[in-house]
Amino acid sequence: MKLSLFLCALALSVVACAQTPSDTIRSTVNSGFARVEVPPLPDKLDLAGEPVPMQNQDTRESLMREMLTTLYMHSRTMQTLLASKRYFAIIEPILAKYGVPNDFKYLCMAESGLNPEARSGAGAGGLWQLMPAYAKSAGLLVGDEVDERYHIEKSTEAACRYLIDAKRRLGSWTLAAAAFNAGVAGVSRRLEKQGVESYYDLFLPNETLRYVFRVLSFKLLMSDPAAYGYQIDKKEYYPLLPAYEEVTIDDPEIDWAAFAREHGTHYKQIRQLNPWIRDYDYTNKAGRSFTVKIPKGSARK
């Protein structure tokens, strides 16, 4: 009996050893795993009308790295795509109003995944991931009870003002995009030290080296999601924000839940339409006036 078991085991080991590497690969391919492919890169590409030097090998490799990261982070990337129509409808007119190129909506995708509630470990918040210091300097209210970095329109306007100033000081929209990550002073200092003028020739901290390419990866993906494997029917995109009216409040003590009930809705919907409201109450010592979005009728449906 023991001899029979030994001979069977020996025969199986011989068969296994006889398999070639190609047999192993073929077995894996046929096992039902999803295909993983290298995405194609275009020969020509630009950011805000400024050409990307696709003839440079380091540029192509950097873009490929970010394309792979973006494409194969499936759940986060899909959620970002689904939210695009909802938030682009708000962002695009503001970019146009300030004269900021439309491509900067992709920067917003790279920053927050188009999640207005996003908050980083470093303390950046909102769709544009503004840091508290800059937000305050831009006139936004930043606090535990109310934080306007999460106000979609106001934070977009603050981001536009930053980008316009960065472009004026650095000379290009591409460098302005880099400065959104590393700061104008950080980019300017390195340009001067290294004696170059282009983002694509500039050595930067790793996060900023990758940053513009991450923005470009979303631009490429948004140009044709299906071509990169993201199959989304038109009706599956998140709808625009529900119909709302705006109500002004300047009470010295604001109870947001009570305010919602007074206007025929509830706190959850008030928070969803006004993510800058960060708590149940606000002690309005400065007598500020707030414009609050209130859903109309059966907007939830």
Side-chain angles (χ1 to χ4, degrees):
M1 184 65 167
K2 290 183 178 179
L3 179 61
S4 299
L5 290 173
F6 172 76
L7 292 174
C8 287
L10 180 62
L12 288 171
S13 66
V14 170
V15 171
C17 292
Q19 284 187 316
T20 65
S22 60
D23 292 330
T24 304
I25 293 172
R26 189 177 301 111
S27 175
T28 301
V29 169
N30 293 331
S31 66
F33 286 108
R35 289 171 60 88
V36 179
E37 300 180 352
V38 177
L41 296 181
D43 292 328
K44 291 185 178 181
L45 182 62
D46 71 89
L47 179 65
E50 299 173 357
V52 179
M54 296 298 291
Q55 72 277 8
N56 294 346
Q57 183 60 30
D58 59 306
T59 297
R60 297 186 70 86
E61 288 182 9
S62 295
L63 180 56
M64 178 61 74
R65 174 180 178 174
E66 297 313 310
M67 284 296 294
L68 291 170
T69 300
T70 297
L71 293 179
Y72 292 108
M73 199 180 296
H74 292 97
S75 61
R76 176 181 168 85
T77 298
M78 178 61 88
Q79 290 178 73
T80 303
L81 291 173
L82 292 175
S84 61
K85 293 188 182 299
R86 172 177 294 173
Y87 294 110
F88 283 177
I90 303 171
I91 292 170
E92 288 178 335
I94 298 174
L95 294 176
K97 171 186 171 183
Y98 279 84
V100 174
N102 195 50
D103 276 358
F104 278 91
K105 65 188 181 187
Y106 306 120
L107 184 148
C108 195
M109 299 179 86
E111 280 286 352
S112 65
L114 293 179
N115 174 13
E117 296 279 358
R119 182 179 177 87
S120 76
L127 280 178
W128 295 90
Q129 290 293 277
L130 302 180
M131 293 296 287
Y134 172 69
K136 290 176 182 177
S137 72
L140 302 186
L141 184 60
V142 178
D144 294 332
E145 296 177 332
V146 165
D147 192 333
E148 291 180 328
R149 293 179 299 160
Y150 300 91
H151 192 297
I152 299 169
E153 292 86 352
K154 288 186 178 182
S155 66
T156 301
E157 291 183 343
C160 285
R161 291 193 292 271
Y162 185 95
L163 291 166
I164 290 168
D165 179 65
K167 200 268 187 180
R168 177 184 61 80
R169 294 168 63 182
L170 296 171
S172 79
W173 287 115
T174 306
L175 288 171
F180 203 83
N181 179 258
V184 173
V187 173
S188 180
R189 182 175 66 252
R190 290 178 173 88
L191 286 169
E192 183 177 357
K193 182 68 175 177
Q194 297 174 40
V196 298
E197 297 180 349
S198 169
Y199 168 82
Y200 303 102
D201 296 329
L202 186 62
F203 183 79
L204 291 156
N206 186 58
E207 183 179 337
T208 315
L209 275 174
R210 299 179 62 178
Y211 188 73
V212 169
F213 294 105
R214 190 180 314 145
V215 176
L216 288 168
S217 75
F218 276 105
K219 177 176 181 176
L220 284 175
L221 175 57
M222 282 295 295
S223 69
D224 189 354
Y228 292 99
Y230 285 82
Q231 306 294 327
I232 309 174
D233 192 89
K234 288 182 179 180
K235 67 177 182 295
E236 293 171 330
Y237 284 95
Y238 298 158
L240 303 182
L241 291 179
Y244 62 83
E245 57 184 340
E246 294 183 333
V247 177
T248 301
I249 182 172
D250 57 5
D251 296 353
E253 296 288 341
I254 301 175
D255 179 335
W256 293 113
F259 173 81
R261 290 193 298 272
E262 289 169 8
H263 291 84
T265 184
H266 46 74
Y267 181 71
K268 181 180 180 180
Q269 282 201 286
I270 291 291
R271 279 291 299 266
Q272 289 172 335
L273 282 174
N274 305 275
W276 50 270
I277 297 174
R278 309 305 294 172
D279 206 342
Y280 289 111
D281 306 290
Y282 181 68
T283 303
N284 193 10
K285 294 179 180 179
R288 292 185 174 90
S289 177
F290 297 99
T291 300
V292 186
K293 295 173 182 174
I294 304 294
K296 285 184 177 180
S298 58
R300 192 177 190 184
K301 300 185 185 306

